[in-house]
């Protein structure tokens, strides 16, 4: 869905154009930006700059604060881990947002993910599943982050552990994630994530030193 912002002169701009000028701080545009946040959740798209602009407008206009939009923005930030989007969004929260129980729950989920305690995350996610059921692709986005962490941590991993880390998924779903990440089976119980050769790549370094440079250096040493 295309979102156009109407300016005071009667002309219209796209959200991206509006965010590039002083109009990004105009509270009259907040409703359109909030609708844009909802569309991101529905269509599994993401626009960090627009979402941060919404939080900034809440700072300037606390009477216009919308907690549901705040939750959606924070949850969308989680879907973009390991990038630091959540930290930036958290820094823009007002005191009343920080005191909100749901915001604290999301912050707790973020801390758990940062600690890579994925088993605990999925347990907490199940308890709070109504909070992000409107976020299209939320679970798979988290699994993508889990796969990233697994990829830089393990060379081989047991299939049962991998299924647990990915949220207690079925064997068929595990197969799709193994294929997506380019991993391979080793026997019945192991998955090869990366070989040592994949992690350590040697480099040949060749240095070219001109004679004139060496001559100048030797002259200084005499």
């Amino acid at each position: 869905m295309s979102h156009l912002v109407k300016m005071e002169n009667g002309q219209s701009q796209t959200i991206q154009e509006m965010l590039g000028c002083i109009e990004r701080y105009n509270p009259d545009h907040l409703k359109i930006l909030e609708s844009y946040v909802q569309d991101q959740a529905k269509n599994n798209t993401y626009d960090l700059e627009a979402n941060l602009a919404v939080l900034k407008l809440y700072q300037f206009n606390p009477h216009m604060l919308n907690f549901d939009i705040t939750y959606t923005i924070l949850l969308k930030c989680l879907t973009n881990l390991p990038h630091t989007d959540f930290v930036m969004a958290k820094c823009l929260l007002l005191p009343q947002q920080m005191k909100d129980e749901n915001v604290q729950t999301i912050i707790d989920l973020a801390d758990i993910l940062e600690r890579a305690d994925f088993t605990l995350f999925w347990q907490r996610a199940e308890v709070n599943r109504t909070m992000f059921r409107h976020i299209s692709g939320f679970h798979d986005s988290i699994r993508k982050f889990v796969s990233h962490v697994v990829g830089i941590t393990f060379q081989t991993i047991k299939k049962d552990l991998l299924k647990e880390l990915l949220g207690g998924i079925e064997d068929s779903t595990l197969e799709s994630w193994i294929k997506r990440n380019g991993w391979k089976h080793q026997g019945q119980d192991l998955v090869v994530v990366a070989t040592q050769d994949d992690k350590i790549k040697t480099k040949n370094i060749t240095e070219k030193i001109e004679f004139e440079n060496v001559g100048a250096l030797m002259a200084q040493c005499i």
Side-chain angles (χ1 to χ4, degrees):
M1 180 178 178
S2 176
H3 291 265
L4 294 177
V5 183
K6 191 171 184 180
M7 303 293 111
E8 291 183 357
N9 59 10
Q11 296 181 345
S12 296
Q13 288 184 333
T14 65
I15 286 180
Q16 286 68 32
E17 290 172 335
M18 182 270 291
L19 292 173
C21 64
I22 193 64
E23 286 293 329
R24 70 183 294 152
Y25 301 113
N26 188 338
D28 293 339
H29 305 323
L30 183 56
K31 290 300 181 183
I32 293 178
L33 286 171
E34 289 176 335
S35 177
Y36 185 43
V37 172
Q38 292 172 328
D39 277 357
Q40 292 175 53
K42 179 180 178 181
N43 300 319
N44 195 17
T45 57
Y46 186 58
D47 190 332
L48 174 63
E49 185 178 6
N51 295 347
L52 294 180
V54 172
L55 296 180
K56 196 66 179 178
L57 281 169
Y58 289 157
Q59 281 189 330
F60 293 149
N61 308 276
H63 62 285
M64 303 178 74
L65 175 60
N66 185 320
F67 279 97
D68 287 335
I69 296 297
T70 300
Y71 308 151
T72 300
I73 290 174
L74 293 176
L75 290 169
K76 288 296 292 181
C77 286
L78 289 186
T79 67
N80 204 37
L81 286 168
H83 298 286
T84 58
D85 301 10
F86 189 86
V87 176
M88 290 187 285
K90 183 180 174 182
C91 289
L92 293 176
L93 297 181
L94 294 163
Q96 54 264 49
Q97 289 169 302
M98 290 296 295
K99 294 177 182 178
D100 181 80
E101 183 177 349
N102 287 333
V103 170
Q104 284 299 316
T105 297
I106 298 172
I107 291 174
D108 184 47
L109 291 173
D111 289 340
I112 293 171
L113 286 173
E114 290 289 347
R115 299 198 307 268
D117 191 347
F118 300 127
T119 300
L120 178 60
F121 171 81
W122 293 115
Q123 292 172 353
R124 296 286 179 84
E126 177 62 22
V127 173
N128 298 282
R129 61 185 181 276
T130 58
M131 181 180 294
F132 43 76
R133 63 185 177 187
H134 67 293
I135 309 288
S136 177
F138 180 82
H139 290 82
D140 278 350
S141 295
I142 300 301
R143 291 187 180 108
K144 183 178 178 181
F145 172 60
V146 174
S147 298
H148 165 75
V149 175
V150 168
I152 62 176
T153 306
F154 294 91
Q155 291 187 47
T156 60
I157 184 172
K158 291 185 177 181
K159 286 178 61 176
D160 289 343
L161 175 57
L162 183 56
K163 289 197 296 184
E164 179 182 330
L165 296 179
L166 289 170
I169 57 178
E170 300 292 332
D171 286 341
S172 58
T173 305
L174 176 64
E175 287 301 318
S176 67
W177 281 97
I178 290 175
K179 183 177 180 180
R180 180 184 302 190
N181 289 290
W183 300 337
K184 298 178 181 179
H185 290 281
Q186 180 175 300
Q188 296 294 321
D189 302 323
L190 289 178
V191 174
V192 178
V193 175
T195 64
Q196 190 67 16
D197 290 339
D198 292 331
K199 291 181 176 293
I200 303 176
K201 296 183 182 297
T202 59
K203 294 183 179 180
N204 293 323
I205 301 175
T206 303
E207 294 188 23
K208 185 177 180 181
I209 302 176
E210 300 292 340
F211 177 78
E212 291 79 3
N213 295 333
V214 177
L217 181 61
M218 294 178 64
Q220 294 177 7
C221 296
I222 298 176

